[in-house]
PDB file of all heavy atoms in Angstrom:
ATOM      1  N   GLY A   1      95.087 127.951 109.027  1.00  0.00           N
ATOM      2  CA  GLY A   1      94.009 128.683 109.697  1.00  0.00           C
ATOM      3  C   GLY A   1      92.973 127.808 110.355  1.00  0.00           C
ATOM      4  O   GLY A   1      93.279 126.800 110.948  1.00  0.00           O
ATOM      5  N   ASP A   2      91.720 128.229 110.250  1.00  0.00           N
ATOM      6  CA  ASP A   2      90.568 127.646 110.929  1.00  0.00           C
ATOM      7  C   ASP A   2      90.489 126.128 110.700  1.00  0.00           C
ATOM      8  O   ASP A   2      90.220 125.660 109.599  1.00  0.00           O
ATOM      9  CB  ASP A   2      89.290 128.330 110.425  1.00  0.00           C
ATOM     10  CG  ASP A   2      88.054 127.845 111.171  1.00  0.00           C
ATOM     11  OD1 ASP A   2      88.210 127.098 112.156  1.00  0.00           O
ATOM     12  OD2 ASP A   2      86.939 128.236 110.774  1.00  0.00           O
ATOM     13  N   LEU A   3      90.699 125.366 111.780  1.00  0.00           N
ATOM     14  CA  LEU A   3      90.721 123.914 111.656  1.00  0.00           C
ATOM     15  C   LEU A   3      89.328 123.317 111.471  1.00  0.00           C
ATOM     16  O   LEU A   3      89.186 122.215 110.970  1.00  0.00           O
ATOM     17  CB  LEU A   3      91.388 123.286 112.883  1.00  0.00           C
ATOM     18  CG  LEU A   3      92.862 123.640 113.106  1.00  0.00           C
ATOM     19  CD1 LEU A   3      93.397 122.930 114.343  1.00  0.00           C
ATOM     20  CD2 LEU A   3      93.698 123.300 111.898  1.00  0.00           C
ATOM     21  N   SER A   4      88.284 124.058 111.875  1.00  0.00           N
ATOM     22  CA  SER A   4      86.927 123.520 111.775  1.00  0.00           C
ATOM     23  C   SER A   4      86.478 123.358 110.330  1.00  0.00           C
ATOM     24  O   SER A   4      85.583 122.571 110.045  1.00  0.00           O
ATOM     25  CB  SER A   4      85.944 124.394 112.543  1.00  0.00           C
ATOM     26  OG  SER A   4      85.862 125.678 111.939  1.00  0.00           O
ATOM     27  N   GLU A   5      87.068 124.113 109.417  1.00  0.00           N
ATOM     28  CA  GLU A   5      86.673 124.029 108.011  1.00  0.00           C
ATOM     29  C   GLU A   5      87.867 123.687 107.115  1.00  0.00           C
ATOM     30  O   GLU A   5      87.891 124.058 105.948  1.00  0.00           O
ATOM     31  CB  GLU A   5      86.048 125.353 107.569  1.00  0.00           C
ATOM     32  CG  GLU A   5      84.754 125.667 108.283  1.00  0.00           C
ATOM     33  CD  GLU A   5      84.140 126.984 107.838  1.00  0.00           C
ATOM     34  OE1 GLU A   5      84.543 127.496 106.786  1.00  0.00           O
ATOM     35  OE2 GLU A   5      83.273 127.474 108.556  1.00  0.00           O
ATOM     36  N   ASN A   6      88.829 122.991 107.664  1.00  0.00           N
ATOM     37  CA  ASN A   6      90.060 122.682 106.937  1.00  0.00           C
ATOM     38  C   ASN A   6      90.064 121.201 106.530  1.00  0.00           C
ATOM     39  O   ASN A   6      90.403 120.327 107.312  1.00  0.00           O
ATOM     40  CB  ASN A   6      91.265 123.021 107.829  1.00  0.00           C
ATOM     41  CG  ASN A   6      92.572 122.944 107.080  1.00  0.00           C
ATOM     42  OD1 ASN A   6      92.711 122.189 106.138  1.00  0.00           O
ATOM     43  ND2 ASN A   6      93.548 123.719 107.533  1.00  0.00           N
ATOM     44  N   ALA A   7      89.681 120.937 105.295  1.00  0.00           N
ATOM     45  CA  ALA A   7      89.589 119.560 104.809  1.00  0.00           C
ATOM     46  C   ALA A   7      90.961 118.879 104.762  1.00  0.00           C
ATOM     47  O   ALA A   7      91.066 117.676 105.005  1.00  0.00           O
ATOM     48  CB  ALA A   7      88.952 119.535 103.428  1.00  0.00           C
ATOM     49  N   GLU A   8      92.008 119.645 104.436  1.00  0.00           N
ATOM     50  CA  GLU A   8      93.357 119.073 104.388  1.00  0.00           C
ATOM     51  C   GLU A   8      93.761 118.549 105.769  1.00  0.00           C
ATOM     52  O   GLU A   8      94.348 117.480 105.896  1.00  0.00           O
ATOM     53  CB  GLU A   8      94.381 120.112 103.930  1.00  0.00           C
ATOM     54  CG  GLU A   8      94.318 120.435 102.458  1.00  0.00           C
ATOM     55  CD  GLU A   8      95.345 121.492 102.077  1.00  0.00           C
ATOM     56  OE1 GLU A   8      96.517 121.360 102.508  1.00  0.00           O
ATOM     57  OE2 GLU A   8      94.969 122.437 101.373  1.00  0.00           O
ATOM     58  N   TYR A   9      93.424 119.333 106.800  1.00  0.00           N
ATOM     59  CA  TYR A   9      93.747 118.946 108.172  1.00  0.00           C
ATOM     60  C   TYR A   9      93.001 117.658 108.540  1.00  0.00           C
ATOM     61  O   TYR A   9      93.585 116.725 109.077  1.00  0.00           O
ATOM     62  CB  TYR A   9      93.392 120.071 109.140  1.00  0.00           C
ATOM     63  CG  TYR A   9      93.642 119.739 110.587  1.00  0.00           C
ATOM     64  CD1 TYR A   9      94.927 119.783 111.106  1.00  0.00           C
ATOM     65  CD2 TYR A   9      92.598 119.383 111.433  1.00  0.00           C
ATOM     66  CE1 TYR A   9      95.172 119.469 112.437  1.00  0.00           C
ATOM     67  CE2 TYR A   9      92.826 119.062 112.762  1.00  0.00           C
ATOM     68  CZ  TYR A   9      94.110 119.109 113.252  1.00  0.00           C
ATOM     69  OH  TYR A   9      94.352 118.794 114.559  1.00  0.00           O
ATOM     70  N   ASP A  10      91.694 117.634 108.227  1.00  0.00           N
ATOM     71  CA  ASP A  10      90.892 116.448 108.536  1.00  0.00           C
ATOM     72  C   ASP A  10      91.439 115.218 107.816  1.00  0.00           C
ATOM     73  O   ASP A  10      91.525 114.132 108.401  1.00  0.00           O
ATOM     74  CB  ASP A  10      89.426 116.668 108.142  1.00  0.00           C
ATOM     75  CG  ASP A  10      88.731 117.685 109.044  1.00  0.00           C
ATOM     76  OD1 ASP A  10      89.242 117.943 110.150  1.00  0.00           O
ATOM     77  OD2 ASP A  10      87.687 118.211 108.623  1.00  0.00           O
ATOM     78  N   ALA A  11      91.793 115.366 106.550  1.00  0.00           N
ATOM     79  CA  ALA A  11      92.314 114.247 105.770  1.00  0.00           C
ATOM     80  C   ALA A  11      93.643 113.753 106.349  1.00  0.00           C
ATOM     81  O   ALA A  11      93.878 112.541 106.450  1.00  0.00           O
ATOM     82  CB  ALA A  11      92.493 114.643 104.310  1.00  0.00           C
ATOM     83  N   ALA A  12      94.505 114.675 106.740  1.00  0.00           N
ATOM     84  CA  ALA A  12      95.811 114.306 107.306  1.00  0.00           C
ATOM     85  C   ALA A  12      95.620 113.596 108.653  1.00  0.00           C
ATOM     86  O   ALA A  12      96.316 112.616 108.943  1.00  0.00           O
ATOM     87  CB  ALA A  12      96.693 115.543 107.468  1.00  0.00           C
ATOM     88  N   ARG A  13      94.678 114.066 109.463  1.00  0.00           N
ATOM     89  CA  ARG A  13      94.410 113.426 110.758  1.00  0.00           C
ATOM     90  C   ARG A  13      93.838 112.017 110.545  1.00  0.00           C
ATOM     91  O   ARG A  13      94.190 111.086 111.256  1.00  0.00           O
ATOM     92  CB  ARG A  13      93.430 114.259 111.597  1.00  0.00           C
ATOM     93  CG  ARG A  13      93.983 115.595 112.074  1.00  0.00           C
ATOM     94  CD  ARG A  13      94.965 115.489 113.160  1.00  0.00           C
ATOM     95  NE  ARG A  13      94.354 114.868 114.318  1.00  0.00           N
ATOM     96  CZ  ARG A  13      95.002 114.494 115.393  1.00  0.00           C
ATOM     97  NH1 ARG A  13      96.291 114.705 115.479  1.00  0.00           N
ATOM     98  NH2 ARG A  13      94.399 113.923 116.393  1.00  0.00           N
ATOM     99  N   ASP A  14      92.949 111.876 109.543  1.00  0.00           N
ATOM    100  CA  ASP A  14      92.401 110.550 109.240  1.00  0.00           C
ATOM    101  C   ASP A  14      93.515 109.607 108.787  1.00  0.00           C
ATOM    102  O   ASP A  14      93.564 108.441 109.202  1.00  0.00           O
ATOM    103  CB  ASP A  14      91.334 110.644 108.147  1.00  0.00           C
ATOM    104  CG  ASP A  14      90.046 111.288 108.635  1.00  0.00           C
ATOM    105  OD1 ASP A  14      89.868 111.426 109.867  1.00  0.00           O
ATOM    106  OD2 ASP A  14      89.215 111.659 107.782  1.00  0.00           O
ATOM    107  N   ALA A  15      94.397 110.103 107.933  1.00  0.00           N
ATOM    108  CA  ALA A  15      95.520 109.290 107.450  1.00  0.00           C
ATOM    109  C   ALA A  15      96.411 108.874 108.613  1.00  0.00           C
ATOM    110  O   ALA A  15      96.893 107.737 108.669  1.00  0.00           O
ATOM    111  CB  ALA A  15      96.321 110.052 106.405  1.00  0.00           C
ATOM    112  N   GLN A  16      96.615 109.800 109.547  1.00  0.00           N
ATOM    113  CA  GLN A  16      97.442 109.494 110.717  1.00  0.00           C
ATOM    114  C   GLN A  16      96.792 108.383 111.548  1.00  0.00           C
ATOM    115  O   GLN A  16      97.464 107.449 111.987  1.00  0.00           O
ATOM    116  CB  GLN A  16      97.637 110.747 111.577  1.00  0.00           C
ATOM    117  CG  GLN A  16      98.528 110.510 112.784  1.00  0.00           C
ATOM    118  CD  GLN A  16      98.663 111.743 113.648  1.00  0.00           C
ATOM    119  OE1 GLN A  16      97.672 112.434 113.893  1.00  0.00           O
ATOM    120  NE2 GLN A  16      99.879 112.024 114.084  1.00  0.00           N
ATOM    121  N   GLY A  17      95.496 108.477 111.739  1.00  0.00           N
ATOM    122  CA  GLY A  17      94.785 107.456 112.511  1.00  0.00           C
ATOM    123  C   GLY A  17      94.888 106.084 111.862  1.00  0.00           C
ATOM    124  O   GLY A  17      95.149 105.074 112.534  1.00  0.00           O
ATOM    125  N   LEU A  18      94.696 106.034 110.541  1.00  0.00           N
ATOM    126  CA  LEU A  18      94.793 104.762 109.814  1.00  0.00           C
ATOM    127  C   LEU A  18      96.201 104.191 109.880  1.00  0.00           C
ATOM    128  O   LEU A  18      96.393 102.981 110.035  1.00  0.00           O
ATOM    129  CB  LEU A  18      94.368 104.952 108.355  1.00  0.00           C
ATOM    130  CG  LEU A  18      92.882 105.251 108.130  1.00  0.00           C
ATOM    131  CD1 LEU A  18      92.627 105.609 106.676  1.00  0.00           C
ATOM    132  CD2 LEU A  18      92.031 104.074 108.561  1.00  0.00           C
ATOM    133  N   LEU A  19      97.198 105.070 109.774  1.00  0.00           N
ATOM    134  CA  LEU A  19      98.584 104.625 109.835  1.00  0.00           C
ATOM    135  C   LEU A  19      98.900 104.040 111.213  1.00  0.00           C
ATOM    136  O   LEU A  19      99.555 102.995 111.315  1.00  0.00           O
ATOM    137  CB  LEU A  19      99.538 105.790 109.529  1.00  0.00           C
ATOM    138  CG  LEU A  19     101.023 105.443 109.585  1.00  0.00           C
ATOM    139  CD1 LEU A  19     101.391 104.457 108.478  1.00  0.00           C
ATOM    140  CD2 LEU A  19     101.873 106.707 109.465  1.00  0.00           C
ATOM    141  N   GLU A  20      98.424 104.691 112.269  1.00  0.00           N
ATOM    142  CA  GLU A  20      98.702 104.192 113.625  1.00  0.00           C
ATOM    143  C   GLU A  20      98.043 102.835 113.863  1.00  0.00           C
ATOM    144  O   GLU A  20      98.625 101.962 114.505  1.00  0.00           O
ATOM    145  CB  GLU A  20      98.254 105.209 114.680  1.00  0.00           C
ATOM    146  CG  GLU A  20      99.103 106.480 114.693  1.00  0.00           C
ATOM    147  CD  GLU A  20     100.599 106.228 114.853  1.00  0.00           C
ATOM    148  OE1 GLU A  20     101.008 105.336 115.626  1.00  0.00           O
ATOM    149  OE2 GLU A  20     101.391 106.930 114.199  1.00  0.00           O
ATOM    150  N   VAL A  21      96.854 102.631 113.314  1.00  0.00           N
ATOM    151  CA  VAL A  21      96.195 101.325 113.421  1.00  0.00           C
ATOM    152  C   VAL A  21      97.017 100.277 112.690  1.00  0.00           C
ATOM    153  O   VAL A  21      97.238  99.169 113.193  1.00  0.00           O
ATOM    154  CB  VAL A  21      94.750 101.397 112.867  1.00  0.00           C
ATOM    155  CG1 VAL A  21      94.154 100.010 112.698  1.00  0.00           C
ATOM    156  CG2 VAL A  21      93.874 102.248 113.773  1.00  0.00           C
ATOM    157  N   LYS A  22      97.485 100.619 111.488  1.00  0.00           N
ATOM    158  CA  LYS A  22      98.293  99.693 110.690  1.00  0.00           C
ATOM    159  C   LYS A  22      99.588  99.346 111.431  1.00  0.00           C
ATOM    160  O   LYS A  22      99.981  98.174 111.488  1.00  0.00           O
ATOM    161  CB  LYS A  22      98.612 100.323 109.335  1.00  0.00           C
ATOM    162  CG  LYS A  22      99.441  99.443 108.431  1.00  0.00           C
ATOM    163  CD  LYS A  22      99.691 100.113 107.087  1.00  0.00           C
ATOM    164  CE  LYS A  22     100.507  99.229 106.166  1.00  0.00           C
ATOM    165  NZ  LYS A  22     100.706  99.852 104.848  1.00  0.00           N
ATOM    166  N   ILE A  23     100.243 100.348 112.009  1.00  0.00           N
ATOM    167  CA  ILE A  23     101.491 100.118 112.741  1.00  0.00           C
ATOM    168  C   ILE A  23     101.242  99.198 113.934  1.00  0.00           C
ATOM    169  O   ILE A  23     101.997  98.248 114.161  1.00  0.00           O
ATOM    170  CB  ILE A  23     102.123 101.462 113.183  1.00  0.00           C
ATOM    171  CG1 ILE A  23     102.698 102.182 111.954  1.00  0.00           C
ATOM    172  CG2 ILE A  23     103.196 101.243 114.243  1.00  0.00           C
ATOM    173  CD1 ILE A  23     103.143 103.612 112.230  1.00  0.00           C
ATOM    174  N   ALA A  24     100.175  99.441 114.669  1.00  0.00           N
ATOM    175  CA  ALA A  24      99.869  98.611 115.836  1.00  0.00           C
ATOM    176  C   ALA A  24      99.604  97.164 115.418  1.00  0.00           C
ATOM    177  O   ALA A  24     100.080  96.217 116.054  1.00  0.00           O
ATOM    178  CB  ALA A  24      98.656  99.175 116.574  1.00  0.00           C
ATOM    179  N   ARG A  25      98.869  96.987 114.309  1.00  0.00           N
ATOM    180  CA  ARG A  25      98.556  95.643 113.812  1.00  0.00           C
ATOM    181  C   ARG A  25      99.840  94.923 113.381  1.00  0.00           C
ATOM    182  O   ARG A  25     100.051  93.751 113.707  1.00  0.00           O
ATOM    183  CB  ARG A  25      97.576  95.750 112.646  1.00  0.00           C
ATOM    184  CG  ARG A  25      97.160  94.414 112.058  1.00  0.00           C
ATOM    185  CD  ARG A  25      96.244  94.568 110.856  1.00  0.00           C
ATOM    186  NE  ARG A  25      96.779  95.407 109.794  1.00  0.00           N
ATOM    187  CZ  ARG A  25      97.665  95.001 108.883  1.00  0.00           C
ATOM    188  NH1 ARG A  25      98.116  93.789 108.908  1.00  0.00           N
ATOM    189  NH2 ARG A  25      98.090  95.829 107.947  1.00  0.00           N
ATOM    190  N   LEU A  26     100.718  95.638 112.662  1.00  0.00           N
ATOM    191  CA  LEU A  26     101.969  95.027 112.198  1.00  0.00           C
ATOM    192  C   LEU A  26     102.894  94.679 113.366  1.00  0.00           C
ATOM    193  O   LEU A  26     103.511  93.609 113.373  1.00  0.00           O
ATOM    194  CB  LEU A  26     102.676  95.955 111.211  1.00  0.00           C
ATOM    195  CG  LEU A  26     102.009  96.086 109.840  1.00  0.00           C
ATOM    196  CD1 LEU A  26     102.637  97.224 109.048  1.00  0.00           C
ATOM    197  CD2 LEU A  26     102.113  94.777 109.069  1.00  0.00           C
ATOM    198  N   LYS A  27     102.973  95.563 114.362  1.00  0.00           N
ATOM    199  CA  LYS A  27     103.806  95.287 115.542  1.00  0.00           C
ATOM    200  C   LYS A  27     103.317  94.032 116.261  1.00  0.00           C
ATOM    201  O   LYS A  27     104.115  93.195 116.691  1.00  0.00           O
ATOM    202  CB  LYS A  27     103.791  96.475 116.501  1.00  0.00           C
ATOM    203  CG  LYS A  27     104.695  97.601 116.095  1.00  0.00           C
ATOM    204  CD  LYS A  27     104.678  98.703 117.148  1.00  0.00           C
ATOM    205  CE  LYS A  27     105.670  99.798 116.811  1.00  0.00           C
ATOM    206  NZ  LYS A  27     105.668 100.874 117.821  1.00  0.00           N
ATOM    207  N   GLU A  28     101.999  93.902 116.372  1.00  0.00           N
ATOM    208  CA  GLU A  28     101.430  92.730 117.036  1.00  0.00           C
ATOM    209  C   GLU A  28     101.722  91.460 116.234  1.00  0.00           C
ATOM    210  O   GLU A  28     102.081  90.433 116.806  1.00  0.00           O
ATOM    211  CB  GLU A  28      99.918  92.919 117.206  1.00  0.00           C
ATOM    212  CG  GLU A  28      99.274  91.853 118.051  1.00  0.00           C
ATOM    213  CD  GLU A  28      97.812  92.116 118.330  1.00  0.00           C
ATOM    214  OE1 GLU A  28      97.251  93.113 117.853  1.00  0.00           O
ATOM    215  OE2 GLU A  28      97.222  91.281 119.036  1.00  0.00           O
ATOM    216  N   LYS A  29     101.606  91.539 114.914  1.00  0.00           N
ATOM    217  CA  LYS A  29     101.892  90.365 114.074  1.00  0.00           C
ATOM    218  C   LYS A  29     103.355  89.947 114.201  1.00  0.00           C
ATOM    219  O   LYS A  29     103.652  88.755 114.302  1.00  0.00           O
ATOM    220  CB  LYS A  29     101.569  90.663 112.605  1.00  0.00           C
ATOM    221  CG  LYS A  29     100.121  90.485 112.254  1.00  0.00           C
ATOM    222  CD  LYS A  29      99.936  90.680 110.767  1.00  0.00           C
ATOM    223  CE  LYS A  29      98.849  89.776 110.274  1.00  0.00           C
ATOM    224  NZ  LYS A  29      98.705  89.761 108.838  1.00  0.00           N
ATOM    225  N   VAL A  30     104.262  90.922 114.178  1.00  0.00           N
ATOM    226  CA  VAL A  30     105.692  90.611 114.305  1.00  0.00           C
ATOM    227  C   VAL A  30     105.968  89.986 115.673  1.00  0.00           C
ATOM    228  O   VAL A  30     106.690  88.995 115.784  1.00  0.00           O
ATOM    229  CB  VAL A  30     106.557  91.874 114.075  1.00  0.00           C
ATOM    230  CG1 VAL A  30     108.001  91.631 114.484  1.00  0.00           C
ATOM    231  CG2 VAL A  30     106.485  92.320 112.613  1.00  0.00           C
ATOM    232  N   ALA A  31     105.354  90.541 116.719  1.00  0.00           N
ATOM    233  CA  ALA A  31     105.571  90.026 118.075  1.00  0.00           C
ATOM    234  C   ALA A  31     105.055  88.599 118.235  1.00  0.00           C
ATOM    235  O   ALA A  31     105.627  87.805 118.987  1.00  0.00           O
ATOM    236  CB  ALA A  31     104.897  90.940 119.092  1.00  0.00           C
ATOM    237  N   ASN A  32     103.983  88.249 117.531  1.00  0.00           N
ATOM    238  CA  ASN A  32     103.379  86.926 117.667  1.00  0.00           C
ATOM    239  C   ASN A  32     103.827  85.932 116.601  1.00  0.00           C
ATOM    240  O   ASN A  32     103.330  84.812 116.555  1.00  0.00           O
ATOM    241  CB  ASN A  32     101.848  87.049 117.648  1.00  0.00           C
ATOM    242  CG  ASN A  32     101.335  87.716 118.899  1.00  0.00           C
ATOM    243  OD1 ASN A  32     101.714  87.351 119.997  1.00  0.00           O
ATOM    244  ND2 ASN A  32     100.502  88.709 118.737  1.00  0.00           N
ATOM    245  N   ALA A  33     104.747  86.344 115.747  1.00  0.00           N
ATOM    246  CA  ALA A  33     105.211  85.474 114.660  1.00  0.00           C
ATOM    247  C   ALA A  33     106.208  84.448 115.191  1.00  0.00           C
ATOM    248  O   ALA A  33     107.044  84.753 116.039  1.00  0.00           O
ATOM    249  CB  ALA A  33     105.864  86.305 113.562  1.00  0.00           C
ATOM    250  N   ARG A  34     106.090  83.245 114.683  1.00  0.00           N
ATOM    251  CA  ARG A  34     107.053  82.197 114.977  1.00  0.00           C
ATOM    252  C   ARG A  34     107.521  81.634 113.640  1.00  0.00           C
ATOM    253  O   ARG A  34     106.708  81.201 112.827  1.00  0.00           O
ATOM    254  CB  ARG A  34     106.428  81.089 115.823  1.00  0.00           C
ATOM    255  CG  ARG A  34     105.980  81.537 117.200  1.00  0.00           C
ATOM    256  CD  ARG A  34     107.154  81.989 118.069  1.00  0.00           C
ATOM    257  NE  ARG A  34     106.718  82.532 119.342  1.00  0.00           N
ATOM    258  CZ  ARG A  34     106.510  83.827 119.587  1.00  0.00           C
ATOM    259  NH1 ARG A  34     106.681  84.716 118.640  1.00  0.00           N
ATOM    260  NH2 ARG A  34     106.145  84.243 120.774  1.00  0.00           N
ATOM    261  N   VAL A  35     108.833  81.631 113.445  1.00  0.00           N
ATOM    262  CA  VAL A  35     109.401  81.153 112.183  1.00  0.00           C
ATOM    263  C   VAL A  35     109.436  79.629 112.199  1.00  0.00           C
ATOM    264  O   VAL A  35     109.839  79.009 113.181  1.00  0.00           O
ATOM    265  CB  VAL A  35     110.812  81.739 111.961  1.00  0.00           C
ATOM    266  CG1 VAL A  35     111.449  81.147 110.713  1.00  0.00           C
ATOM    267  CG2 VAL A  35     110.738  83.252 111.854  1.00  0.00           C
ATOM    268  N   ILE A  36     108.995  79.047 111.094  1.00  0.00           N
ATOM    269  CA  ILE A  36     108.973  77.599 110.941  1.00  0.00           C
ATOM    270  C   ILE A  36     110.411  77.093 110.783  1.00  0.00           C
ATOM    271  O   ILE A  36     111.165  77.606 109.959  1.00  0.00           O
ATOM    272  CB  ILE A  36     108.138  77.207 109.701  1.00  0.00           C
ATOM    273  CG1 ILE A  36     106.698  77.680 109.879  1.00  0.00           C
ATOM    274  CG2 ILE A  36     108.202  75.711 109.453  1.00  0.00           C
ATOM    275  CD1 ILE A  36     105.899  77.694 108.597  1.00  0.00           C
ATOM    276  N   ASP A  37     110.777  76.106 111.575  1.00  0.00           N
ATOM    277  CA  ASP A  37     112.104  75.502 111.488  1.00  0.00           C
ATOM    278  C   ASP A  37     112.093  74.492 110.340  1.00  0.00           C
ATOM    279  O   ASP A  37     111.611  73.364 110.487  1.00  0.00           O
ATOM    280  CB  ASP A  37     112.457  74.824 112.811  1.00  0.00           C
ATOM    281  CG  ASP A  37     113.865  74.241 112.812  1.00  0.00           C
ATOM    282  OD1 ASP A  37     114.526  74.226 111.740  1.00  0.00           O
ATOM    283  OD2 ASP A  37     114.308  73.792 113.883  1.00  0.00           O
ATOM    284  N   GLU A  38     112.605  74.919 109.200  1.00  0.00           N
ATOM    285  CA  GLU A  38     112.551  74.094 108.001  1.00  0.00           C
ATOM    286  C   GLU A  38     113.386  72.820 108.121  1.00  0.00           C
ATOM    287  O   GLU A  38     113.153  71.855 107.399  1.00  0.00           O
ATOM    288  CB  GLU A  38     112.962  74.917 106.775  1.00  0.00           C
ATOM    289  CG  GLU A  38     111.969  76.040 106.496  1.00  0.00           C
ATOM    290  CD  GLU A  38     112.299  76.847 105.258  1.00  0.00           C
ATOM    291  OE1 GLU A  38     112.665  76.237 104.231  1.00  0.00           O
ATOM    292  OE2 GLU A  38     112.178  78.079 105.318  1.00  0.00           O
ATOM    293  N   SER A  39     114.344  72.784 109.046  1.00  0.00           N
ATOM    294  CA  SER A  39     115.183  71.591 109.200  1.00  0.00           C
ATOM    295  C   SER A  39     114.396  70.433 109.809  1.00  0.00           C
ATOM    296  O   SER A  39     114.807  69.287 109.725  1.00  0.00           O
ATOM    297  CB  SER A  39     116.398  71.906 110.075  1.00  0.00           C
ATOM    298  OG  SER A  39     115.994  72.148 111.417  1.00  0.00           O
TER     299      SER A  39
END
């Protein structure tokens, strides 16, 4: 129902936002990673 007073909706949207930030940060780290040549 009413999204203006729906705490579950707000919490889920906040979780989604945090997850997308985490995904973007991890993608950037993977893209910029260079493996050390142990040899």
